[in-house]
Amino acid sequence: EPEVTQTPSHQVTQMGQEVILRCVPISNHLYFYWYRQILGQKVEFLVSFYNNEISEKSEIFDDQFSVERPDGSNFTLKIRSTKLEDSAMYFCASGRDHRTSGSSTDTQYFGPGTRLTVL
Amino acid sequence: GESVGLHLPTLSVQEGDNSIINCAYSNSASDYFIWYKQESGKGPQFIIDIRSNMDKRQGQRVTVLLNKTVKHLSLQIAATQPGDSAVYFCAEKKNSWGKLQFGAGTQVVVTP
C-alpha cells in the first residue's frame, strides 16, 4: 500500500539555522499539506499546496516558512531561521488522487513525521 | 475562534468492551468530519470519516455518529483490542480538499 514518507525522522539544529524537511507524498495525489504537533498538543495546520502554489496557509506559516515541490515526487518545508518554539513534530500529508478526484472522502494520508529539535 | 474539541482526555477500556469517544465541534460550515488514530511516535492514521449530510457511517469495528443539532461527533469501537490503544483525534474540514482542523485528542488505554 502506498504511503507518505518523510526524512529525516529526527533533526536537531541550532537556533537561527535553516532546516529543510522532506516528504515524498503518495503518487497520483494532487494536494499536499504540512502540519505540526508540539509535544502533548493537537495537530495544527501549516500550509496546503496544489498545482505548484500555496492554496492556504495558517498564521503559523509566516515568512520564515516556505514550501516547494522541486520535482515530481518531493515536497519540502523550509524554515529559514529556526526558533526554539519551532521544536515540534512536523507531518506531511497528501490527498486527492487525481484518478478519483471529487470522491466523497479525499482522505489526507499522513507521513510518520520529522521531529525537529531546536537548541 | 471556532474549534473542534474533545470531552475526555483519557478513556480506560477493558479489552473486549466497546469504546465511545466523543467530540464537540463549533464550526457549522464544516462539511467533513474525520477520526484519526495516532500511536506513539507515528503520524495520524485515518480511521473513518462522515459527511455532514449523513448521521451514521460504519466501518470495520468502528462507527461514526454525527449529530448536527448539538454539533457532536462520536467514534464507537466495537470489541476494543490492545492494538486500539492510542490517541484519537477528531478533525473537520470545510471541503474535501481543505485543511484539517484537529481537536485536542483522547488517549484510549485498553486494559486486559
Side-chain angles (χ1 to χ4, degrees), chain A residues 64-94:
Chain A
Q64 291 300 307
F65 290 85
S66 62
V67 289
E68 191 178 31
R69 189 158 162 81
D71 51 43
S73 60
N74 291 283
F75 180 51
T76 62
L77 174 70
K78 181 193 288 186
I79 309 174
R80 291 189 182 82
S81 179
T82 50
K83 302 184 288 287
L84 294 176
E85 53 264 38
D86 293 328
S87 294
M89 282 289 288
Y90 287 80
F91 295 106
C92 173
S94 69

PDB file of all heavy atoms in Angstrom, chain A residues 64-94:
ATOM      1  N   GLN A  64       9.097  33.093   7.549  1.00  0.00           N
ATOM      2  CA  GLN A  64      10.240  32.222   7.835  1.00  0.00           C
ATOM      3  C   GLN A  64      10.048  30.825   7.235  1.00  0.00           C
ATOM      4  O   GLN A  64      10.981  30.039   7.167  1.00  0.00           O
ATOM      5  CB  GLN A  64      10.450  32.088   9.350  1.00  0.00           C
ATOM      6  CG  GLN A  64      10.931  33.371  10.013  1.00  0.00           C
ATOM      7  CD  GLN A  64      12.257  33.844   9.441  1.00  0.00           C
ATOM      8  OE1 GLN A  64      13.224  33.101   9.383  1.00  0.00           O
ATOM      9  NE2 GLN A  64      12.293  35.094   8.984  1.00  0.00           N
ATOM     10  N   PHE A  65       8.817  30.542   6.841  1.00  0.00           N
ATOM     11  CA  PHE A  65       8.484  29.231   6.286  1.00  0.00           C
ATOM     12  C   PHE A  65       8.306  29.331   4.776  1.00  0.00           C
ATOM     13  O   PHE A  65       7.821  30.343   4.261  1.00  0.00           O
ATOM     14  CB  PHE A  65       7.178  28.712   6.890  1.00  0.00           C
ATOM     15  CG  PHE A  65       7.259  28.322   8.337  1.00  0.00           C
ATOM     16  CD1 PHE A  65       7.108  29.274   9.332  1.00  0.00           C
ATOM     17  CD2 PHE A  65       7.461  26.999   8.710  1.00  0.00           C
ATOM     18  CE1 PHE A  65       7.176  28.918  10.669  1.00  0.00           C
ATOM     19  CE2 PHE A  65       7.517  26.629  10.043  1.00  0.00           C
ATOM     20  CZ  PHE A  65       7.378  27.593  11.029  1.00  0.00           C
ATOM     21  N   SER A  66       8.678  28.270   4.093  1.00  0.00           N
ATOM     22  CA  SER A  66       8.380  28.182   2.670  1.00  0.00           C
ATOM     23  C   SER A  66       8.236  26.716   2.294  1.00  0.00           C
ATOM     24  O   SER A  66       8.724  25.829   3.000  1.00  0.00           O
ATOM     25  CB  SER A  66       9.476  28.841   1.820  1.00  0.00           C
ATOM     26  OG  SER A  66      10.707  28.178   2.001  1.00  0.00           O
ATOM     27  N   VAL A  67       7.515  26.470   1.217  1.00  0.00           N
ATOM     28  CA  VAL A  67       7.344  25.111   0.719  1.00  0.00           C
ATOM     29  C   VAL A  67       7.702  25.088  -0.754  1.00  0.00           C
ATOM     30  O   VAL A  67       7.621  26.099  -1.455  1.00  0.00           O
ATOM     31  CB  VAL A  67       5.908  24.569   0.912  1.00  0.00           C
ATOM     32  CG1 VAL A  67       5.623  24.304   2.374  1.00  0.00           C
ATOM     33  CG2 VAL A  67       4.877  25.532   0.328  1.00  0.00           C
ATOM     34  N   GLU A  68       8.087  23.898  -1.182  1.00  0.00           N
ATOM     35  CA  GLU A  68       8.495  23.757  -2.568  1.00  0.00           C
ATOM     36  C   GLU A  68       8.250  22.326  -3.013  1.00  0.00           C
ATOM     37  O   GLU A  68       8.334  21.383  -2.216  1.00  0.00           O
ATOM     38  CB  GLU A  68       9.991  24.090  -2.693  1.00  0.00           C
ATOM     39  CG  GLU A  68      10.493  24.244  -4.096  1.00  0.00           C
ATOM     40  CD  GLU A  68      11.961  24.629  -4.141  1.00  0.00           C
ATOM     41  OE1 GLU A  68      12.712  24.234  -3.229  1.00  0.00           O
ATOM     42  OE2 GLU A  68      12.351  25.313  -5.100  1.00  0.00           O
ATOM     43  N   ARG A  69       7.923  22.198  -4.276  1.00  0.00           N
ATOM     44  CA  ARG A  69       7.845  20.874  -4.886  1.00  0.00           C
ATOM     45  C   ARG A  69       8.855  20.894  -6.032  1.00  0.00           C
ATOM     46  O   ARG A  69       8.508  21.204  -7.169  1.00  0.00           O
ATOM     47  CB  ARG A  69       6.433  20.614  -5.379  1.00  0.00           C
ATOM     48  CG  ARG A  69       6.191  19.192  -5.844  1.00  0.00           C
ATOM     49  CD  ARG A  69       4.725  18.852  -5.799  1.00  0.00           C
ATOM     50  NE  ARG A  69       4.398  17.681  -6.601  1.00  0.00           N
ATOM     51  CZ  ARG A  69       4.565  16.429  -6.214  1.00  0.00           C
ATOM     52  NH1 ARG A  69       5.084  16.187  -5.018  1.00  0.00           N
ATOM     53  NH2 ARG A  69       4.222  15.423  -6.983  1.00  0.00           N
ATOM     54  N   PRO A  70      10.100  20.589  -5.707  1.00  0.00           N
ATOM     55  CA  PRO A  70      11.184  20.788  -6.675  1.00  0.00           C
ATOM     56  C   PRO A  70      11.142  19.840  -7.869  1.00  0.00           C
ATOM     57  O   PRO A  70      11.696  20.148  -8.916  1.00  0.00           O
ATOM     58  CB  PRO A  70      12.438  20.541  -5.823  1.00  0.00           C
ATOM     59  CG  PRO A  70      11.988  19.670  -4.707  1.00  0.00           C
ATOM     60  CD  PRO A  70      10.574  20.086  -4.426  1.00  0.00           C
ATOM     61  N   ASP A  71      10.478  18.710  -7.695  1.00  0.00           N
ATOM     62  CA  ASP A  71      10.373  17.765  -8.801  1.00  0.00           C
ATOM     63  C   ASP A  71       9.024  17.064  -8.691  1.00  0.00           C
ATOM     64  O   ASP A  71       8.169  17.497  -7.924  1.00  0.00           O
ATOM     65  CB  ASP A  71      11.544  16.760  -8.764  1.00  0.00           C
ATOM     66  CG  ASP A  71      11.698  16.107  -7.405  1.00  0.00           C
ATOM     67  OD1 ASP A  71      10.669  15.722  -6.809  1.00  0.00           O
ATOM     68  OD2 ASP A  71      12.830  15.998  -6.923  1.00  0.00           O
ATOM     69  N   GLY A  72       8.871  15.982  -9.406  1.00  0.00           N
ATOM     70  CA  GLY A  72       7.565  15.342  -9.426  1.00  0.00           C
ATOM     71  C   GLY A  72       7.248  14.480  -8.226  1.00  0.00           C
ATOM     72  O   GLY A  72       6.152  13.937  -8.132  1.00  0.00           O
ATOM     73  N   SER A  73       8.213  14.366  -7.292  1.00  0.00           N
ATOM     74  CA  SER A  73       7.969  13.452  -6.192  1.00  0.00           C
ATOM     75  C   SER A  73       8.166  14.061  -4.813  1.00  0.00           C
ATOM     76  O   SER A  73       7.496  13.667  -3.873  1.00  0.00           O
ATOM     77  CB  SER A  73       8.866  12.217  -6.328  1.00  0.00           C
ATOM     78  OG  SER A  73      10.232  12.587  -6.316  1.00  0.00           O
ATOM     79  N   ASN A  74       9.061  15.036  -4.670  1.00  0.00           N
ATOM     80  CA  ASN A  74       9.356  15.575  -3.345  1.00  0.00           C
ATOM     81  C   ASN A  74       8.538  16.813  -3.024  1.00  0.00           C
ATOM     82  O   ASN A  74       8.144  17.578  -3.913  1.00  0.00           O
ATOM     83  CB  ASN A  74      10.847  15.921  -3.251  1.00  0.00           C
ATOM     84  CG  ASN A  74      11.720  14.698  -3.246  1.00  0.00           C
ATOM     85  OD1 ASN A  74      11.832  14.012  -2.250  1.00  0.00           O
ATOM     86  ND2 ASN A  74      12.335  14.398  -4.392  1.00  0.00           N
ATOM     87  N   PHE A  75       8.311  17.008  -1.746  1.00  0.00           N
ATOM     88  CA  PHE A  75       7.600  18.187  -1.236  1.00  0.00           C
ATOM     89  C   PHE A  75       8.349  18.601   0.026  1.00  0.00           C
ATOM     90  O   PHE A  75       8.488  17.800   0.951  1.00  0.00           O
ATOM     91  CB  PHE A  75       6.143  17.824  -0.950  1.00  0.00           C
ATOM     92  CG  PHE A  75       5.303  18.952  -0.424  1.00  0.00           C
ATOM     93  CD1 PHE A  75       5.257  20.174  -1.060  1.00  0.00           C
ATOM     94  CD2 PHE A  75       4.508  18.765   0.710  1.00  0.00           C
ATOM     95  CE1 PHE A  75       4.465  21.210  -0.591  1.00  0.00           C
ATOM     96  CE2 PHE A  75       3.706  19.793   1.193  1.00  0.00           C
ATOM     97  CZ  PHE A  75       3.691  21.011   0.545  1.00  0.00           C
ATOM     98  N   THR A  76       8.879  19.824   0.041  1.00  0.00           N
ATOM     99  CA  THR A  76       9.737  20.226   1.151  1.00  0.00           C
ATOM    100  C   THR A  76       9.162  21.404   1.932  1.00  0.00           C
ATOM    101  O   THR A  76       8.435  22.240   1.380  1.00  0.00           O
ATOM    102  CB  THR A  76      11.136  20.617   0.648  1.00  0.00           C
ATOM    103  OG1 THR A  76      11.023  21.740  -0.219  1.00  0.00           O
ATOM    104  CG2 THR A  76      11.808  19.464  -0.080  1.00  0.00           C
ATOM    105  N   LEU A  77       9.524  21.437   3.198  1.00  0.00           N
ATOM    106  CA  LEU A  77       9.212  22.565   4.081  1.00  0.00           C
ATOM    107  C   LEU A  77      10.531  23.134   4.565  1.00  0.00           C
ATOM    108  O   LEU A  77      11.346  22.403   5.131  1.00  0.00           O
ATOM    109  CB  LEU A  77       8.368  22.105   5.275  1.00  0.00           C
ATOM    110  CG  LEU A  77       8.092  23.163   6.351  1.00  0.00           C
ATOM    111  CD1 LEU A  77       7.139  24.231   5.826  1.00  0.00           C
ATOM    112  CD2 LEU A  77       7.502  22.519   7.600  1.00  0.00           C
ATOM    113  N   LYS A  78      10.730  24.416   4.334  1.00  0.00           N
ATOM    114  CA  LYS A  78      11.952  25.074   4.768  1.00  0.00           C
ATOM    115  C   LYS A  78      11.624  26.083   5.852  1.00  0.00           C
ATOM    116  O   LYS A  78      10.658  26.860   5.729  1.00  0.00           O
ATOM    117  CB  LYS A  78      12.629  25.791   3.601  1.00  0.00           C
ATOM    118  CG  LYS A  78      13.935  26.490   3.988  1.00  0.00           C
ATOM    119  CD  LYS A  78      14.428  27.445   2.906  1.00  0.00           C
ATOM    120  CE  LYS A  78      14.951  26.724   1.717  1.00  0.00           C
ATOM    121  NZ  LYS A  78      15.564  27.678   0.732  1.00  0.00           N
ATOM    122  N   ILE A  79      12.426  26.053   6.909  1.00  0.00           N
ATOM    123  CA  ILE A  79      12.346  27.085   7.936  1.00  0.00           C
ATOM    124  C   ILE A  79      13.671  27.831   7.875  1.00  0.00           C
ATOM    125  O   ILE A  79      14.738  27.246   8.100  1.00  0.00           O
ATOM    126  CB  ILE A  79      12.117  26.503   9.342  1.00  0.00           C
ATOM    127  CG1 ILE A  79      10.927  25.536   9.347  1.00  0.00           C
ATOM    128  CG2 ILE A  79      11.884  27.630  10.344  1.00  0.00           C
ATOM    129  CD1 ILE A  79      10.718  24.816  10.666  1.00  0.00           C
ATOM    130  N   ARG A  80      13.621  29.108   7.558  1.00  0.00           N
ATOM    131  CA  ARG A  80      14.852  29.859   7.258  1.00  0.00           C
ATOM    132  C   ARG A  80      15.702  30.103   8.487  1.00  0.00           C
ATOM    133  O   ARG A  80      16.907  29.933   8.450  1.00  0.00           O
ATOM    134  CB  ARG A  80      14.495  31.190   6.599  1.00  0.00           C
ATOM    135  CG  ARG A  80      13.934  31.041   5.217  1.00  0.00           C
ATOM    136  CD  ARG A  80      13.779  32.377   4.500  1.00  0.00           C
ATOM    137  NE  ARG A  80      13.191  32.197   3.186  1.00  0.00           N
ATOM    138  CZ  ARG A  80      11.889  32.072   2.957  1.00  0.00           C
ATOM    139  NH1 ARG A  80      11.043  32.165   3.960  1.00  0.00           N
ATOM    140  NH2 ARG A  80      11.427  31.891   1.734  1.00  0.00           N
ATOM    141  N   SER A  81      15.126  30.512   9.549  1.00  0.00           N
ATOM    142  CA  SER A  81      15.868  30.840  10.768  1.00  0.00           C
ATOM    143  C   SER A  81      15.079  30.285  11.943  1.00  0.00           C
ATOM    144  O   SER A  81      14.134  30.907  12.434  1.00  0.00           O
ATOM    145  CB  SER A  81      16.038  32.357  10.898  1.00  0.00           C
ATOM    146  OG  SER A  81      16.741  32.688  12.085  1.00  0.00           O
ATOM    147  N   THR A  82      15.478  29.097  12.364  1.00  0.00           N
ATOM    148  CA  THR A  82      14.671  28.387  13.352  1.00  0.00           C
ATOM    149  C   THR A  82      14.687  29.075  14.708  1.00  0.00           C
ATOM    150  O   THR A  82      15.683  29.684  15.121  1.00  0.00           O
ATOM    151  CB  THR A  82      15.162  26.947  13.515  1.00  0.00           C
ATOM    152  OG1 THR A  82      16.579  26.957  13.729  1.00  0.00           O
ATOM    153  CG2 THR A  82      14.831  26.123  12.293  1.00  0.00           C
ATOM    154  N   LYS A  83      13.564  28.950  15.405  1.00  0.00           N
ATOM    155  CA  LYS A  83      13.414  29.476  16.757  1.00  0.00           C
ATOM    156  C   LYS A  83      13.145  28.302  17.688  1.00  0.00           C
ATOM    157  O   LYS A  83      12.757  27.222  17.264  1.00  0.00           O
ATOM    158  CB  LYS A  83      12.249  30.471  16.818  1.00  0.00           C
ATOM    159  CG  LYS A  83      12.385  31.648  15.861  1.00  0.00           C
ATOM    160  CD  LYS A  83      11.264  32.646  16.045  1.00  0.00           C
ATOM    161  CE  LYS A  83       9.951  32.152  15.547  1.00  0.00           C
ATOM    162  NZ  LYS A  83       9.913  32.144  14.069  1.00  0.00           N
ATOM    163  N   LEU A  84      13.357  28.542  18.967  1.00  0.00           N
ATOM    164  CA  LEU A  84      13.125  27.473  19.945  1.00  0.00           C
ATOM    165  C   LEU A  84      11.702  26.931  19.842  1.00  0.00           C
ATOM    166  O   LEU A  84      11.481  25.715  19.945  1.00  0.00           O
ATOM    167  CB  LEU A  84      13.380  27.988  21.363  1.00  0.00           C
ATOM    168  CG  LEU A  84      14.817  28.382  21.713  1.00  0.00           C
ATOM    169  CD1 LEU A  84      14.884  28.967  23.117  1.00  0.00           C
ATOM    170  CD2 LEU A  84      15.750  27.186  21.578  1.00  0.00           C
ATOM    171  N   GLU A  85      10.752  27.828  19.618  1.00  0.00           N
ATOM    172  CA  GLU A  85       9.342  27.427  19.569  1.00  0.00           C
ATOM    173  C   GLU A  85       8.970  26.670  18.293  1.00  0.00           C
ATOM    174  O   GLU A  85       7.824  26.229  18.156  1.00  0.00           O
ATOM    175  CB  GLU A  85       8.430  28.640  19.751  1.00  0.00           C
ATOM    176  CG  GLU A  85       8.705  29.783  18.798  1.00  0.00           C
ATOM    177  CD  GLU A  85       9.615  30.851  19.393  1.00  0.00           C
ATOM    178  OE1 GLU A  85      10.556  30.489  20.130  1.00  0.00           O
ATOM    179  OE2 GLU A  85       9.383  32.036  19.104  1.00  0.00           O
ATOM    180  N   ASP A  86       9.909  26.518  17.374  1.00  0.00           N
ATOM    181  CA  ASP A  86       9.659  25.689  16.188  1.00  0.00           C
ATOM    182  C   ASP A  86       9.839  24.208  16.488  1.00  0.00           C
ATOM    183  O   ASP A  86       9.530  23.355  15.646  1.00  0.00           O
ATOM    184  CB  ASP A  86      10.591  26.090  15.036  1.00  0.00           C
ATOM    185  CG  ASP A  86      10.305  27.479  14.500  1.00  0.00           C
ATOM    186  OD1 ASP A  86       9.124  27.894  14.533  1.00  0.00           O
ATOM    187  OD2 ASP A  86      11.265  28.143  14.069  1.00  0.00           O
ATOM    188  N   SER A  87      10.348  23.893  17.663  1.00  0.00           N
ATOM    189  CA  SER A  87      10.523  22.491  18.050  1.00  0.00           C
ATOM    190  C   SER A  87       9.166  21.804  18.087  1.00  0.00           C
ATOM    191  O   SER A  87       8.264  22.234  18.817  1.00  0.00           O
ATOM    192  CB  SER A  87      11.189  22.381  19.420  1.00  0.00           C
ATOM    193  OG  SER A  87      12.512  22.874  19.384  1.00  0.00           O
ATOM    194  N   ALA A  88       9.030  20.751  17.300  1.00  0.00           N
ATOM    195  CA  ALA A  88       7.745  20.059  17.170  1.00  0.00           C
ATOM    196  C   ALA A  88       7.927  18.864  16.242  1.00  0.00           C
ATOM    197  O   ALA A  88       8.988  18.690  15.632  1.00  0.00           O
ATOM    198  CB  ALA A  88       6.683  20.996  16.588  1.00  0.00           C
ATOM    199  N   MET A  89       6.877  18.064  16.140  1.00  0.00           N
ATOM    200  CA  MET A  89       6.793  17.049  15.088  1.00  0.00           C
ATOM    201  C   MET A  89       6.149  17.706  13.882  1.00  0.00           C
ATOM    202  O   MET A  89       5.119  18.363  14.013  1.00  0.00           O
ATOM    203  CB  MET A  89       5.939  15.870  15.539  1.00  0.00           C
ATOM    204  CG  MET A  89       6.620  14.905  16.467  1.00  0.00           C
ATOM    205  SD  MET A  89       7.893  13.922  15.659  1.00  0.00           S
ATOM    206  CE  MET A  89       6.902  12.826  14.662  1.00  0.00           C
ATOM    207  N   TYR A  90       6.744  17.510  12.737  1.00  0.00           N
ATOM    208  CA  TYR A  90       6.206  18.071  11.502  1.00  0.00           C
ATOM    209  C   TYR A  90       5.721  16.917  10.632  1.00  0.00           C
ATOM    210  O   TYR A  90       6.478  16.006  10.303  1.00  0.00           O
ATOM    211  CB  TYR A  90       7.262  18.902  10.779  1.00  0.00           C
ATOM    212  CG  TYR A  90       7.522  20.221  11.465  1.00  0.00           C
ATOM    213  CD1 TYR A  90       8.348  20.295  12.581  1.00  0.00           C
ATOM    214  CD2 TYR A  90       6.903  21.384  11.031  1.00  0.00           C
ATOM    215  CE1 TYR A  90       8.552  21.498  13.247  1.00  0.00           C
ATOM    216  CE2 TYR A  90       7.106  22.596  11.681  1.00  0.00           C
ATOM    217  CZ  TYR A  90       7.931  22.644  12.787  1.00  0.00           C
ATOM    218  OH  TYR A  90       8.140  23.836  13.451  1.00  0.00           O
ATOM    219  N   PHE A  91       4.457  16.981  10.279  1.00  0.00           N
ATOM    220  CA  PHE A  91       3.846  15.932   9.480  1.00  0.00           C
ATOM    221  C   PHE A  91       3.514  16.457   8.086  1.00  0.00           C
ATOM    222  O   PHE A  91       2.937  17.532   7.935  1.00  0.00           O
ATOM    223  CB  PHE A  91       2.552  15.424  10.117  1.00  0.00           C
ATOM    224  CG  PHE A  91       2.746  14.731  11.434  1.00  0.00           C
ATOM    225  CD1 PHE A  91       2.387  15.346  12.613  1.00  0.00           C
ATOM    226  CD2 PHE A  91       3.288  13.446  11.481  1.00  0.00           C
ATOM    227  CE1 PHE A  91       2.560  14.700  13.831  1.00  0.00           C
ATOM    228  CE2 PHE A  91       3.468  12.800  12.691  1.00  0.00           C
ATOM    229  CZ  PHE A  91       3.111  13.426  13.866  1.00  0.00           C
ATOM    230  N   CYS A  92       3.854  15.657   7.118  1.00  0.00           N
ATOM    231  CA  CYS A  92       3.438  15.898   5.748  1.00  0.00           C
ATOM    232  C   CYS A  92       2.220  15.022   5.472  1.00  0.00           C
ATOM    233  O   CYS A  92       2.104  13.920   6.026  1.00  0.00           O
ATOM    234  CB  CYS A  92       4.595  15.528   4.818  1.00  0.00           C
ATOM    235  SG  CYS A  92       4.218  15.563   3.056  1.00  0.00           S
ATOM    236  N   ALA A  93       1.317  15.508   4.667  1.00  0.00           N
ATOM    237  CA  ALA A  93       0.155  14.720   4.272  1.00  0.00           C
ATOM    238  C   ALA A  93      -0.137  14.974   2.801  1.00  0.00           C
ATOM    239  O   ALA A  93       0.219  16.023   2.249  1.00  0.00           O
ATOM    240  CB  ALA A  93      -1.064  15.076   5.120  1.00  0.00           C
ATOM    241  N   SER A  94      -0.769  14.009   2.174  1.00  0.00           N
ATOM    242  CA  SER A  94      -1.192  14.206   0.795  1.00  0.00           C
ATOM    243  C   SER A  94      -2.584  13.644   0.621  1.00  0.00           C
ATOM    244  O   SER A  94      -3.036  12.787   1.398  1.00  0.00           O
ATOM    245  CB  SER A  94      -0.212  13.569  -0.190  1.00  0.00           C
ATOM    246  OG  SER A  94      -0.240  12.154  -0.131  1.00  0.00           O
TER     247      SER A  94
END
